[in-house]
Short mmCIF file of all heavy atoms in Angstrom, two decimals:
data_model
loop_
_atom_site.label_atom_id
_atom_site.label_comp_id
_atom_site.label_asym_id
_atom_site.label_seq_id
_atom_site.Cartn_x
_atom_site.Cartn_y
_atom_site.Cartn_z
N SER Q 320 2.45 23.86 -13.08
CA SER Q 320 3.22 25.10 -12.97
C SER Q 320 3.25 25.86 -14.29
O SER Q 320 3.52 27.05 -14.31
CB SER Q 320 4.65 24.79 -12.50
OG SER Q 320 5.33 24.06 -13.49
N GLY Q 321 2.96 25.19 -15.38
CA GLY Q 321 2.83 25.82 -16.70
C GLY Q 321 4.18 26.24 -17.28
O GLY Q 321 5.20 26.20 -16.64
N GLY Q 322 4.13 26.66 -18.52
CA GLY Q 322 5.34 27.08 -19.21
C GLY Q 322 5.62 28.55 -18.93
O GLY Q 322 6.70 28.92 -18.54
N GLY Q 323 4.67 29.39 -19.10
CA GLY Q 323 4.75 30.83 -18.81
C GLY Q 323 5.97 31.53 -19.36
O GLY Q 323 6.76 30.99 -20.11
N ILE Q 324 6.12 32.78 -19.01
CA ILE Q 324 7.20 33.64 -19.48
C ILE Q 324 8.53 33.20 -18.91
O ILE Q 324 9.54 33.22 -19.63
CB ILE Q 324 6.91 35.11 -19.11
CG1 ILE Q 324 5.88 35.64 -20.07
CG2 ILE Q 324 8.14 35.95 -19.06
CD1 ILE Q 324 5.60 37.10 -19.94
N LEU Q 325 8.53 32.77 -17.64
CA LEU Q 325 9.79 32.37 -17.03
C LEU Q 325 10.40 31.19 -17.77
O LEU Q 325 11.61 31.10 -17.92
CB LEU Q 325 9.58 31.99 -15.55
CG LEU Q 325 9.38 33.15 -14.59
CD1 LEU Q 325 9.11 32.63 -13.19
CD2 LEU Q 325 10.57 34.07 -14.58
N HIS Q 326 9.56 30.32 -18.25
CA HIS Q 326 10.05 29.15 -18.98
C HIS Q 326 10.72 29.58 -20.28
O HIS Q 326 11.74 29.00 -20.66
CB HIS Q 326 8.89 28.18 -19.25
CG HIS Q 326 9.33 26.95 -20.01
ND1 HIS Q 326 10.26 26.06 -19.53
CD2 HIS Q 326 8.96 26.47 -21.23
CE1 HIS Q 326 10.44 25.10 -20.40
NE2 HIS Q 326 9.65 25.32 -21.45
N LYS Q 327 10.15 30.59 -20.93
CA LYS Q 327 10.74 31.06 -22.19
C LYS Q 327 12.00 31.86 -21.95
O LYS Q 327 12.93 31.78 -22.73
CB LYS Q 327 9.71 31.91 -22.94
CG LYS Q 327 8.52 31.09 -23.40
CD LYS Q 327 7.50 31.95 -24.05
CE LYS Q 327 6.28 31.10 -24.42
NZ LYS Q 327 5.15 31.85 -24.87
N VAL Q 328 12.01 32.57 -20.83
CA VAL Q 328 13.16 33.42 -20.54
C VAL Q 328 14.31 32.60 -19.98
O VAL Q 328 15.46 32.84 -20.31
CB VAL Q 328 12.77 34.54 -19.54
CG1 VAL Q 328 13.97 35.36 -19.11
CG2 VAL Q 328 11.72 35.43 -20.15
N LEU Q 329 13.97 31.66 -19.14
CA LEU Q 329 15.02 30.87 -18.49
C LEU Q 329 14.93 29.41 -18.96
O LEU Q 329 14.22 28.59 -18.37
CB LEU Q 329 14.87 30.93 -16.97
CG LEU Q 329 14.95 32.33 -16.36
CD1 LEU Q 329 14.53 32.29 -14.92
CD2 LEU Q 329 16.34 32.90 -16.50
N PRO Q 330 15.63 29.07 -20.04
CA PRO Q 330 15.53 27.73 -20.60
C PRO Q 330 16.04 26.63 -19.67
O PRO Q 330 15.70 25.47 -19.83
CB PRO Q 330 16.35 27.80 -21.87
CG PRO Q 330 17.19 29.01 -21.77
CD PRO Q 330 16.54 29.93 -20.78
N PHE Q 331 16.84 26.99 -18.70
CA PHE Q 331 17.36 25.95 -17.81
C PHE Q 331 16.23 25.34 -16.97
O PHE Q 331 16.38 24.25 -16.42
CB PHE Q 331 18.49 26.47 -16.91
CG PHE Q 331 18.04 27.41 -15.83
CD1 PHE Q 331 17.64 26.94 -14.59
CD2 PHE Q 331 18.04 28.79 -16.05
CE1 PHE Q 331 17.24 27.80 -13.60
CE2 PHE Q 331 17.63 29.65 -15.06
CZ PHE Q 331 17.23 29.17 -13.84
N LEU Q 332 15.07 26.02 -16.88
CA LEU Q 332 13.94 25.47 -16.15
C LEU Q 332 13.42 24.20 -16.84
O LEU Q 332 12.98 23.27 -16.17
CB LEU Q 332 12.81 26.49 -16.02
CG LEU Q 332 13.04 27.61 -15.01
CD1 LEU Q 332 11.86 28.56 -15.02
CD2 LEU Q 332 13.25 27.07 -13.62
N SER Q 333 13.46 24.17 -18.17
CA SER Q 333 13.00 22.95 -18.85
C SER Q 333 13.95 21.79 -18.57
O SER Q 333 13.53 20.64 -18.47
CB SER Q 333 12.86 23.20 -20.36
OG SER Q 333 14.10 23.17 -20.98
N THR Q 334 15.24 22.08 -18.43
CA THR Q 334 16.20 21.04 -18.08
C THR Q 334 15.91 20.53 -16.67
O THR Q 334 15.94 19.33 -16.41
CB THR Q 334 17.64 21.60 -18.15
OG1 THR Q 334 17.84 22.19 -19.42
CG2 THR Q 334 18.66 20.50 -17.94
N ALA Q 335 15.61 21.44 -15.76
CA ALA Q 335 15.27 21.05 -14.39
C ALA Q 335 14.01 20.20 -14.38
O ALA Q 335 13.90 19.23 -13.64
CB ALA Q 335 15.10 22.29 -13.51
N LYS Q 336 13.03 20.60 -15.22
CA LYS Q 336 11.78 19.85 -15.32
C LYS Q 336 12.07 18.43 -15.79
O LYS Q 336 11.55 17.45 -15.23
CB LYS Q 336 10.84 20.55 -16.31
CG LYS Q 336 9.58 19.77 -16.59
CD LYS Q 336 8.76 20.47 -17.65
CE LYS Q 336 7.62 19.58 -18.10
NZ LYS Q 336 6.86 20.15 -19.18
N GLU Q 337 12.92 18.26 -16.79
CA GLU Q 337 13.26 16.93 -17.29
C GLU Q 337 13.97 16.10 -16.22
O GLU Q 337 13.72 14.89 -16.09
CB GLU Q 337 14.15 17.05 -18.53
CG GLU Q 337 13.41 17.61 -19.73
CD GLU Q 337 14.34 17.96 -20.89
OE1 GLU Q 337 15.56 17.69 -20.80
OE2 GLU Q 337 13.84 18.52 -21.87
N LYS Q 338 14.81 16.76 -15.42
CA LYS Q 338 15.51 16.04 -14.35
C LYS Q 338 14.52 15.54 -13.30
O LYS Q 338 14.63 14.41 -12.82
CB LYS Q 338 16.55 16.94 -13.68
CG LYS Q 338 17.77 17.19 -14.54
CD LYS Q 338 18.77 18.07 -13.81
CE LYS Q 338 19.99 18.36 -14.67
NZ LYS Q 338 20.93 19.26 -14.00
N VAL Q 339 13.54 16.38 -12.95
CA VAL Q 339 12.55 15.98 -11.95
C VAL Q 339 11.72 14.81 -12.47
O VAL Q 339 11.48 13.83 -11.76
CB VAL Q 339 11.66 17.18 -11.56
CG1 VAL Q 339 10.47 16.72 -10.74
CG2 VAL Q 339 12.46 18.21 -10.80
#
Side-chain angles (χ1 to χ4, degrees):
S320 66
I324 283 187
L325 285 177
H326 180 61
K327 294 176 184 171
V328 174
L329 301 169
F331 71 89
L332 286 178
S333 78
T334 307
K336 174 184 170 184
E337 291 170 5
K338 287 181 182 177
V339 169

